Amino acid sequence: MRIQDQVAIVTGGGSGLGAATARHLAGLGARVAILDYDGARAEAVAAEIGGMACPLDVRDEAAVGAAVEQVADTCGQAARIAVNCAGVGLAARIVGREGKMSFDVFERTLRVNLFGTYNVMSHAARLMTGLDPTGTGERGVIINTASVAWQDGQLGQAAYAASKGAIASMCLPAAREFAQSGIRVMAIAPGLFHTPMMEGLPEEVTQKITANIPFPGRLGQPEDYALMAAQIIENPYLNGTTIRLDGAVRLPPR
């Protein structure tokens, strides 16, 4: 699918992977709507790229539905592109010190990462089905964000790995369901990326982490993710699978 002149929704577009994706798609001629919990950041990126901002919590199904409708009304057509980057990276042992349980972390992580992704995918696909197909028979492309943690989850990542594993696992059945409408569904599983989740780490910790990446020997940049997203959108034969974007890294146990 050509990106130019298409309407795109990017969640988590106020920072990190989402902001880079929003900028890249806008640079390729898309009209981009940013859905983000942080309204100020969403507005800032939207102003920079000539897009629109919809502050919301992706866990709120009704708010997501209203935002997707608002994007369609404002842009004159529903989004053909939806990229889900919104998420949290909370860490906790299943049973911590002195028997402390972490169900609250597990629940919040799944509600944001998994339920939020599902909400946006559902409402985006609902409106995509009403669009006319392109010359290649496509009505839309949905890209969800998993993580290499779904296969290489580290100690303390049970909740995060579960949420990202579910995103990877639902990619194929979602693609099969929406195939009849000409909608492709893909997932990207980033490795160790330079995002707000990583920026708070001490330099020596970052260097230790980077040393485990075979090639290129650096953290992934958000622009690497944005490039992958654009390539998925433009390649009509990519469908129903999860692509690791990781520099060949495999996460150690801790």
Side-chain angles (χ1 to χ4, degrees), residues 97-132:
R97 290 184 175 85
E98 299 177 355
K100 184 180 184 301
M101 309 298 280
S102 61
F103 181 77
D104 58 332
V105 172
F106 189 86
E107 181 177 38
R108 184 184 173 202
T109 301
L110 264 69
R111 286 193 178 280
V112 175
N113 294 356
L114 177 58
F115 293 6
T117 294
Y118 190 88
N119 284 339
V120 175
M121 178 175 67
S122 301
H123 282 291
R126 175 175 60 84
L127 293 195
M128 286 177 186
T129 58
L131 293 169
D132 293 330

Side-chain angles (χ1 to χ4, degrees), residues 58-85:
V58 292
R59 295 173 293 181
D60 187 335
E61 185 267 335
V64 169
V68 171
E69 296 276 3
Q70 180 187 355
V71 171
D73 291 343
T74 302
C75 296
Q77 70 173 45
R80 287 191 188 272
I81 299 165
V83 185
N84 278 301
C85 295

Side-chain angles (χ1 to χ4, degrees), residues 170-190:
M170 74 179 178
C171 183
L172 180 58
R176 286 172 166 168
E177 176 180 341
F178 298 138
Q180 62 186 351
S181 300
I183 299 169
R184 294 187 287 118
V185 182
M186 288 286 293
I188 301 173

Side-chain angles (χ1 to χ4, degrees), residues 13-36:
S15 62
L17 305 180
T21 301
R23 293 185 180 105
H24 190 59
L25 295 181
L28 293 174
R31 291 172 289 171
V32 181
I34 296 171
L35 280 57
D36 200 296

Side-chain angles (χ1 to χ4, degrees), residues 180-202:
Q180 62 186 351
S181 300
I183 299 169
R184 294 187 287 118
V185 182
M186 288 286 293
I188 301 173
L192 301 168
F193 269 65
H194 192 272
T195 65
M197 290 184 188
M198 296 285 289
E199 288 171 0
L201 296 177

